[in-house]
Amino acid sequence: MGKIALTILFSIITVIANCQQEKPLVIKGNELYKKQQYDKAAEEYQKAADINEKNPLAMYNLGNALYKSKKTEAAEKVYDNAAENAKDPNGKSRAVYNKGVALTRQQKLQESIMAYKDALRLIPTDEEARQNLQKALNELKKQQQQQPKEDKKKQDKDKQKQKPNDQPQNKSKLNQKQAEQMLNSLRQEEKKLQQGIQKKNNTGGANGKDW
């Protein structure tokens, strides 16, 4: 029993020591965040997260700093960690909600809709989550309505691209028809000429007959 008690006691001391190391880093990160120095704030939050990757506050604030630095994909993953390690429904809901915002910025509308729904399941009275959910649903519907129009425009453009290729073919057919008509006309003239020559030869023979 003595060994087990010692291990538990040692674990508690380690947790307390880690908290003492993390807290100043988070506070410094907060100060930098207020000054809109988001990259530097993210560095401080990351240091705190490196000490304890399950610190929900450090991860949540790190997600916010990354989002403000327009590193939305990285922020999205950090919010997942913050939500997973949150100690209460409110903290979990805020992390999930912010993940939804990051997804919306990336135009991942279906995923953002799921995130806002999850946030509302945790805190049904979250009006911001409800409003953002409605906006995401409206935007998704708008995109789905525009898609057939864009497909039609693409088809029309493809048809227009094909027309110039068709024109030389039509022109070639027209020239071929004209050539055939000219050839037939020449044949007719040649035929008439031959008939004239033959008639003249026949007439000349009769006149030169030896009586």
Side-chain angles (χ1 to χ4, degrees):
M1 289 296 293
K3 187 176 180 181
I4 294 173
L6 181 63
T7 302
I8 293 171
L9 181 62
F10 178 75
S11 298
I12 292 170
I13 291 170
T14 302
V15 169
I16 293 170
N18 285 347
C19 287
Q20 288 175 345
Q21 288 178 328
E22 294 162 37
K23 189 175 180 180
L25 294 170
V26 173
I27 291 171
K28 187 176 178 181
N30 291 345
E31 290 172 353
L32 291 166
Y33 188 93
K34 289 175 182 177
K35 294 176 182 178
Q36 299 183 355
Q37 297 179 19
Y38 302 120
D39 287 332
K40 291 183 179 180
E43 289 176 6
E44 298 303 318
Y45 296 136
Q46 185 63 62
K47 289 176 186 177
D50 289 341
I51 295 169
N52 180 12
E53 63 181 10
K54 293 186 177 182
N55 183 327
L57 181 59
M59 297 304 291
Y60 178 82
N61 286 1
L62 173 59
N64 290 344
L66 290 170
Y67 178 84
K68 289 288 188 179
S69 300
K70 297 183 179 180
K71 299 173 183 176
T72 48
E73 192 172 351
E76 172 195 335
K77 294 175 182 178
V78 171
Y79 287 133
D80 272 335
N81 186 307
E84 185 179 348
N85 293 289
K87 305 299 182 184
D88 60 273
N90 188 49
K92 191 178 186 73
S93 175
R94 284 186 299 173
V96 173
Y97 168 85
N98 280 9
K99 178 187 174 182
V101 174
L103 287 165
T104 300
R105 174 174 278 188
Q106 297 175 74
Q107 286 297 305
K108 297 178 180 178
L109 295 176
Q110 291 183 336
E111 293 177 57
S112 71
I113 287 166
M114 294 301 298
Y116 295 136
K117 284 182 177 179
D118 288 341
L120 283 167
R121 288 189 188 101
L122 290 162
I123 307 293
T125 57
D126 189 339
E127 191 57 32
E128 285 184 334
R130 191 177 303 281
Q131 289 176 2
N132 277 16
L133 172 60
Q134 189 59 55
K135 288 177 183 177
L137 287 167
N138 291 341
E139 184 62 25
L140 181 62
K141 185 178 178 181
K142 184 180 177 182
Q143 287 186 4
Q144 290 172 343
Q145 288 173 343
Q146 287 178 342
Q147 191 61 41
K149 293 180 181 178
E150 290 176 0
D151 292 341
K152 189 176 184 303
K153 285 180 181 178
K154 187 178 179 181
Q155 290 174 1
D156 291 341
K157 284 182 180 179
D158 291 340
K159 287 179 181 178
Q160 288 176 356
K161 286 179 182 178
Q162 291 173 1
K163 281 181 180 179
N165 295 330
D166 293 340
Q167 286 174 359
Q169 293 177 3
N170 293 336
K171 189 176 181 181
S172 177
K173 288 179 181 179
L174 182 63
N175 290 340
Q176 187 177 354
K177 188 176 179 181
Q178 288 176 341
E180 288 176 359
Q181 288 175 349
M182 289 174 68
L183 185 60
N184 288 333
S185 178
L186 288 169
R187 284 173 182 169
Q188 291 293 330
E189 288 179 8
E190 185 180 0
K191 188 176 179 182
K192 288 178 182 180
L193 183 61
Q194 291 292 337
Q195 288 175 350
I197 292 169
Q198 188 176 359
K199 187 175 179 182
K200 186 176 180 181
N201 288 338
N202 290 338
T203 305
N207 292 334
K209 188 176 179 181
D210 186 8
W211 292 93

